[in-house]
């Protein structure tokens, strides 16, 4: 709600419309400490948005960090050769048989809270600590999802280490990002010693598309704290949406780099055993060869062979199945430059690979007791990490057609701790439990049937399929021809089989890139080189501010009536900037002008509201909530004191907001001086 002092109010109108007014709301209306002192310039109709090409700062190299729930990595490319993407090929440590182009998202801090290590190094060092010593160390894993699930995320939000100790989440994320920064810069120095460091790197951070603005701002704040960029050079850091990055990368692929799940041989399990997509598209290629005009445009735009065979206007879905979330976006390919247009707002939910881990933990609770598992995790945190590593290794081998059982190693400390706590051994617990599909093997391991392992996947896999089917039911998505399955969890043969079985009957072609686990990382590099490739996005929410309108009897509720100085006003009106699901082009601006209420005022704070509905009328409607604040930092007004009795000159601050980028952005200018005004939108101090 915008509140202003009753005395000394100044207002500006656009045109001569008397319908809206900057007159303040009544004292009983909700307000914040510094939101008093602003008069909104709100015309009767929003001005036509202005499109302005975003200005990009110069850079020599793009470094993208794919900060995942379960694994993370970085890649880079030079501006002189943007499509030559350099990967970190080998991380220190690692698991046998697992590609090391990413490292586990594990952070280890000393008992004093200082950085020790990240990734495989952190995991292995923590594994080797004495159990008693390990209780004092702070080990964090899979902590990214805490940012998504936090309903009241702030800069003071705390994260809990596996030993139960807490520390500020911002510091945890900053430690991890600082590790990647130092690692990447050292790699760049090794490859290009003459490369200057200052203003050379454009950094890209990946986040799920379903993340709300506070979570995106949180990642940016963590990057500032980590020293990736300074606030003064904020444009050197881009936030990339994960399914968008995957889409940008997939459009560069050639046919032999893709696998069509509908053409796989019966009973095939691993991705590499499936036939290439070439044969599936051979007939389509012949049919479309006559359309040379469309094909030439797309090939010259740098898109891959598959896209050259598609017609402009074709629609496709990207399903990013990661460790923590499933993230869905639907894009349309545009001529003549091969740009992308989002057709429906990002959707999805917390249906990632960690759901399978949670199901395994619940299974252990059924066998050994939930209280014992909770105690074991708290008192033997390093041993619990060992157990999860053992399960992860077997989880990767699960498949819909696997015949043999799987053995999962139990750490000795688990076996010993259970005997001391319960007075009998784990084999007795298995015999006594109602879980008959997990046995105790003679090698001292849990022996789980393939059916039991696949059952652990089902809740998460079903959730992913439900999200995809809900998206496909939307009218905006009709005519989709392709679904790209990407992300780390998309490597799972169980997930691939389930998605193909559920969606194949729809005639939807489910396609998986060969390097499916690196699709987002590589796409983030390409996005950093050309962020304008996604030309149009859909606003996930309706955003606006609270204003006063001229009260109209019969149209406005009586309880919203405010009478002041003989004039009748309607309070709490929701002045909309952009509507949910509205298409917004990159660089498109929503302009509003505001006037400080007092001469000499140095700061203006305007509360922002949002909701999922498109037709909210008042900021007090159900579902409308305060989500942030627009802050304008003003320099002292130029000019001397006014003559006695003369009204102060009117000072107009014009703001330009952009809703078509991956983050909501704002700039402002003092109209009287044509100087920039420092403007920020804060979503974290709500």
């Amino acid at each position: 709600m915008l509140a202003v002092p009753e005395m000394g109010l100044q207002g500006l109108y656009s045109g001569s419309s008397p319908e809206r007014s900057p007159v303040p709301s009544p004292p009983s209306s909700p307000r914040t400490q510094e939101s008093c002192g602003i008069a909104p310039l709100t015309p009767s109709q929003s001005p036509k948005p202005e499109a302005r090409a975003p200005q990009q700062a110069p850079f020599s190299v793009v470094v993208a960090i794919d900060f995942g729930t379960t694994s993370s990595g970085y890649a880079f490319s030079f501006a002189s050769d943007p499509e030559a993407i350099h990967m970190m090929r080998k991380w220190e440590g690692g698991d046998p048989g697992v590609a090391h182009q990413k490292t586990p998202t594990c952070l280890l801090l000393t008992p004093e809270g200082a950085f020790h290590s990240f990734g495989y190094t952190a995991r292995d060092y923590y594994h080797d600590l004495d159990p008693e010593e390990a209780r004092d160390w702070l080990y964090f894993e899979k902590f990214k999802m805490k940012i998504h699930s936090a309903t009241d995320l702030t800069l003071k939000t705390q994260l809990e280490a596996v030993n139960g100790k807490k520390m500020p989440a911002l510091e945890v994320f900053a430690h991890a990002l600082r590790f990647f920064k130092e690692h990447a810069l050292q790699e760049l120095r090794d490859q290009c010693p003459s490369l200057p460091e200052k203003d050379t790197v454009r950094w890209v951070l990946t986040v799920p598309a379903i993340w709300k603005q506070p979570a995106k701002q949180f990642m940016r704040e963590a990057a500032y704290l980590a020293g990736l960029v300074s606030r003064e050079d904020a444009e050197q850091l881009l936030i990339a949406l994960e399914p968008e990055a995957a889409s940008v990368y997939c459009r560069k692929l050639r046919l032999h780099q893709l696998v069509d799940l509908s053409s796989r041989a019966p009973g095939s399990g691993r991705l590499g055993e499936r036939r290439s997509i070439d044969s599936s598209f051979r007939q389509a290629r012949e049919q479309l060869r006559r359309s040379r005009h469309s094909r030439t445009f797309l090939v010259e735009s740098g898109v891959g062979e598959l896209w050259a065979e598609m017609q402009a206007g074709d629609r496709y879905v990207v399903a990013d199945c990661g460790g923590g979330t499933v993230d869905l976006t639907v894009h349309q390919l545009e001529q003549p430059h091969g740009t992308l247009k989002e057709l429906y707002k990002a959707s999805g939910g917390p249906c990632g690979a960690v759901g399978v881990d949670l199901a395994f933990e619940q299974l252990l609770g059924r066998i050994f007791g939930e209280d014992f598992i909770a105690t074991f995790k708290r008192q033997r945190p390093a041993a619990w990490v060992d157990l999860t590593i053992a399960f992860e290794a077997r989880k990767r081998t699960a498949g819909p057609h696997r015949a043999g059982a799987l053995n999962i190693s139990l750490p000795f400390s688990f076996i010993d701790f259970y005997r001391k706590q319960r007075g009998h051994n784990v084999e007795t617990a298995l015999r006594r439990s109602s879980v008959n599909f997990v046995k105790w093997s003679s090698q001292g391991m849990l022996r789980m049937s393939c059916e039991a392992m696949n059952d652990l996947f089902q809740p998460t896999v079903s959730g992913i399929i439900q999200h995809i089917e809900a998206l496909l039911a939307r009218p905006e998505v009709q005519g989709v021809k392709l679904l790209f399955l990407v992300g780390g969890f998309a490597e799972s043969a169980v997930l691939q089989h389930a998605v193909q079985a559920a969606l194949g009957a729809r005639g939807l072609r489910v396609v998986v890139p060969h390097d499916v686990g690196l699709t987002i990382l590589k796409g983030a590099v390409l996005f950093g080189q050309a962020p304008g490739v996604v030309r149009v996005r859909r606003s996930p929410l309706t955003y606006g501010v609270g204003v006063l309108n001229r009260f109209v009897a019969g149209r406005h509720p009586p309880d919203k009536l405010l009478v002041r100085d003989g004039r009748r006003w309607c309070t709490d009106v929701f002045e909309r900037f952009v509507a949910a699901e509205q298409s917004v082009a990159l660089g498109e601006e929503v302009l509003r002008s505001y006037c400080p209420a007092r001469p000499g005022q140095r700061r203006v704070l305007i509360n922002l509201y949002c909701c999922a509905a498109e037709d909210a009328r008042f900021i007090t409607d159900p579902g409308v909530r305060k989500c942030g604040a627009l802050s304008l930092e003003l320099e002292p007004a130029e000019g001397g004191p006014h003559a006695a009795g003369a009204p102060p000159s009117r000072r107009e601050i014009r703001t330009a907001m952009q809703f078509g980028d991956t983050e909501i952005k704002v700039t402002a200018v003092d109209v009287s001086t044509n100087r920039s005004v420092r403007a920020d939108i804060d979503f974290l101090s709500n």
Side-chain angles (χ1 to χ4, degrees), residues 148-163:
H148 172 71
S149 59
T151 56
D152 54 349
L153 180 65
T154 71
L155 295 178
K156 297 181 180 180
T157 296
Q158 300 274 307
L159 284 182
E160 185 175 306
V162 297
N163 64 357

Side-chain angles (χ1 to χ4, degrees), residues 305-328:
E305 204 175 7
L306 170 61
W307 306 100
E309 305 301 347
M310 294 176 64
Q311 294 177 328
D314 277 354
R315 306 171 175 202
Y316 62 95
V317 172
V318 175
D320 169 25
C321 304
T325 59
V326 58
D327 223 8
L328 308 175

Side-chain angles (χ1 to χ4, degrees), residues 216-224 234-235 237-239 663:
K216 296 177 184 178
Q217 182 185 339
F218 182 92
M219 290 299 292
R220 179 170 284 277
E221 294 290 341
Y224 291 152
E235 71 281 354
L237 171 65
L238 298 180
I239 299 296
E663 301 172 273

Side-chain angles (χ1 to χ4, degrees), residues 91-350:
W91 291 95
E92 183 180 349
D95 298 325
V98 178
H100 298 165
Q101 292 168 319
K102 285 188 176 183
T103 192
T105 308
C106 305
L107 173 69
L108 181 62
L109 305 181
T110 67
E112 295 75 29
F115 176 83
H116 180 273
S117 52
F118 186 89
Y120 286 115
T121 305
R123 192 196 69 181
D124 295 344
Y125 189 91
Y126 189 64
H127 166 274
D128 292 336
L129 285 173
D130 179 86
E132 294 300 322
E133 186 182 5
R135 294 185 186 183
D136 297 325
W137 288 68
L138 289 84
Y139 182 79
F140 297 88
E141 62 176 357
K142 302 173 184 175
F143 51 88
K144 178 183 174 183
M145 277 301 294
K146 297 295 194 306
I147 303 305
H148 172 71
S149 59
T151 56
D152 54 349
L153 180 65
T154 71
L155 295 178
K156 297 181 180 180
T157 296
Q158 300 274 307
L159 284 182
E160 185 175 306
V162 297
N163 64 357
K165 295 182 179 180
K166 295 183 178 181
M167 73 175 304
L170 192 68
E171 294 183 22
V172 174
F173 278 81
H175 277 306
L177 294 178
R178 191 178 298 112
F179 165 81
F180 279 109
K181 171 200 169 186
E182 295 172 354
H183 208 291
L185 290 180
Q186 184 60 50
E187 184 79 10
L188 288 172
R189 284 191 291 266
D190 292 344
Q191 293 203 23
C192 189
S194 62
L195 192 70
E197 288 191 16
K198 184 172 177 56
D199 300 328
T200 294
V201 179
R202 166 179 282 172
W203 297 90
V204 182
L205 288 180
T206 64
V207 303
I210 59 173
W211 270 19
K212 296 181 173 58
Q213 294 299 325
K216 296 177 184 178
Q217 182 185 339
F218 182 92
M219 290 299 292
R220 179 170 284 277
E221 294 290 341
Y224 291 152
L225 185 59
L228 266 68
V229 299
S230 65
R231 295 183 187 275
E232 291 71 24
D233 297 317
E235 71 281 354
Q236 292 293 98
L237 171 65
L238 298 180
I239 299 296
L241 308 183
E242 290 166 357
E244 279 191 2
S247 180
V248 170
Y249 177 68
C250 287
R251 64 192 281 279
K252 293 285 186 180
L253 295 179
R254 296 186 177 276
L255 299 181
H256 70 275
Q257 296 172 301
L258 300 162
V259 173
D260 184 357
L261 297 187
S262 63
S263 65
R264 67 182 179 183
S268 64
R270 305 303 297 170
L271 185 144
E273 298 171 0
R274 298 179 177 84
R275 293 197 295 270
S276 170
I277 198 173
D278 289 88
S279 59
S280 304
F281 274 86
R282 192 169 295 134
Q283 184 177 0
R285 181 167 59 233
E286 294 300 324
Q287 293 174 349
L288 291 175
R289 194 175 298 280
R290 301 170 188 172
S291 182
R292 295 185 180 273
H293 182 68
S294 298
R295 190 177 192 277
T296 301
F297 268 128
L298 294 173
V299 170
E300 291 178 350
S301 301
V303 300
E305 204 175 7
L306 170 61
W307 306 100
E309 305 301 347
M310 294 176 64
Q311 294 177 328
D314 277 354
R315 306 171 175 202
Y316 62 95
V317 172
V318 175
D320 169 25
C321 304
T325 59
V326 58
D327 223 8
L328 308 175
T329 192
V330 54
H331 279 161
Q332 184 177 48
L333 190 65
E334 297 182 312
Q335 275 191 352
H337 303 297
T339 52
L340 302 174
K341 177 182 180 180
E342 188 176 42
L343 298 181
Y344 184 66
K345 65 181 181 181
S347 59

Side-chain angles (χ1 to χ4, degrees), residues 8-12 595-600 637-643 646-652 670 672:
L9 172 69
Q10 296 198 35
L12 293 175
C595 177
R598 304 184 307 274
E638 295 182 352
H642 300 281
S649 59
R650 189 173 63 180
R651 188 180 185 188
E652 178 184 354
D670 189 328
S672 62

